[in-house]
Amino acid sequence: MSGPTALVAEDEPLLRDTLIRQLSAAWPALTVVAEARNGRQAVELFERHRPDICFLDVHMPGMSGVEAAQAIGRRAHLVFVTAFDQYAVEAFAQGALDYLVKPVEAARLADTVARLQERLRAAQPAVMPDDLLARLAAQLRPAINAAPRLTWLRASVGSVVRLIAVEDVDFLLAGDKYTHVGWRGEGGSAQEAIIRTPIKELAEQLDPDRFAQVHRSAIVNLRSISHVVRGENETATIHLKTRADTIPVSRAWLHLFRQM
């Protein structure tokens, strides 16, 4: 691949797709070789594809965009993408780091593209003020950790796409390619659906006061539990209040129910 390449990391799929379309219009020669849903995946995909440029959303679950930038280092040109955050914008501006504010305006993106093209033509090294990024990561972490939790799931039920309130979810079970969702519909009726988001990614976005991972492939709504029955070899089975489904508890998570 002879042209410039890029990675785009953004946890919101619609915003990620929008930025990629904007980049395609502003810089047709640029090839987006990887799309990441969080900071950890961004680092993994960077190591696999080694793009010239990384567009990193600042506020992502798990590892933030700034923390991902620290891991990538000077091996790529970095552009941070942030929602309006007065502190973050001021910090990025003072540190001469390249950044875009959501929603990304075409004119602002064009300026960023022009700067990146000039740096690539001149073979300039990537800007990477390590001390500034370390301070930003530490100072932004509380705000990132306090980001709103996941409140809705978009699930396929046959040919229908349904919005499911997270508070109505009883459990999530990992499948080969999908996550199986057990939830309560109108009148408390037991419903089931599938979503494409991996259970590992969902676990990072759910309220830990309401949901608990109880098995490598299972998350349960604590308010949906009727009782827990201990099994052999340090395992247990969760029984739910309003449905016959049971949820396995593996040894690694049995400590959650030690008090029973």
Side-chain angles (χ1 to χ4, degrees):
M1 187 175 299
S2 57
T5 57
L7 174 150
V8 174
E10 163 66 59
D11 62 318
E12 174 52 55
L14 291 177
L15 295 179
R16 187 169 66 241
D17 291 344
T18 298
L19 179 56
I20 291 173
R21 285 198 302 273
Q22 289 178 297
L23 284 169
S24 177
W27 196 351
L30 181 70
T31 300
V32 176
V33 293
E35 302 176 33
R37 297 185 296 269
N38 53 56
R40 188 168 289 104
Q41 187 181 38
V43 175
E44 292 172 357
L45 291 174
F46 173 81
E47 298 295 348
R48 188 183 309 169
H49 296 281
R50 296 298 179 98
D52 302 303
I53 305 160
C54 294
F55 293 86
L56 302 172
D57 179 29
V58 172
H59 295 270
M60 291 188 287
M63 176 184 284
S64 73
V66 176
E67 290 169 325
Q70 289 178 289
I72 293 169
R74 301 174 188 274
R75 295 176 291 172
H77 295 278
L78 304 174
V79 180
F80 294 100
V81 185
T82 181
F84 182 72
D85 181 325
Q86 186 59 49
Y87 173 79
V89 169
E90 182 178 347
F92 288 133
Q94 290 182 354
L97 296 172
D98 216 337
Y99 67 95
L100 296 166
V101 177
K102 301 184 217 177
V104 177
E105 297 180 353
R108 181 71 176 82
L109 180 60
D111 291 340
T112 296
V113 166
R115 282 195 296 274
L116 290 168
Q117 290 172 331
E118 179 58 31
R119 289 174 195 162
L120 291 176
R121 276 195 296 269
Q124 294 178 352
V127 176
M128 183 64 185
D130 298 322
D131 57 338
L132 174 63
L133 285 184
R135 290 200 305 273
L136 277 172
Q139 293 169 347
L140 290 173
R141 189 170 296 119
I144 292 170
N145 291 340
R149 295 288 180 180
L150 186 67
T151 54
W152 295 93
L153 297 176
R154 285 190 290 269
S156 298
V157 183
S159 60
V160 177
V161 176
R162 184 183 293 276
L163 287 176
I164 300 172
V166 167
E167 62 186 18
D168 292 335
V169 172
D170 287 326
F171 62 81
L172 298 160
L173 296 176
D176 291 338
K177 296 182 179 179
Y178 304 100
T179 297
H180 183 85
V181 183
W183 56 287
R184 284 160 280 112
E186 295 181 4
S189 60
Q191 304 286 332
E192 296 182 358
I194 57 172
I195 58 176
R196 296 178 182 274
T197 308
I199 200 167
K200 180 180 178 181
E201 186 174 324
L202 291 167
E204 297 172 343
Q205 302 177 64
L206 293 169
D207 183 351
D209 291 333
R210 172 165 293 191
F211 289 89
Q213 185 151 15
V214 294
H215 189 280
R216 181 173 55 84
S217 60
I219 293 173
V220 67
N221 186 336
L222 297 172
R223 297 180 182 179
S224 299
I225 295 176
S226 167
H227 59 282
V228 181
V229 178
R230 280 190 167 178
E232 298 179 350
N233 300 320
E234 293 293 303
T235 62
T237 300
I238 292 174
H239 294 254
L240 303 173
K241 293 177 181 175
T242 59
R243 53 202 307 154
D245 303 86
T246 58
I247 309 297
V249 182
S250 63
R251 180 182 301 177
W253 283 276
L254 191 61
H255 66 278
L256 296 174
F257 307 101
R258 289 293 186 197
Q259 68 275 24
M260 67 183 182

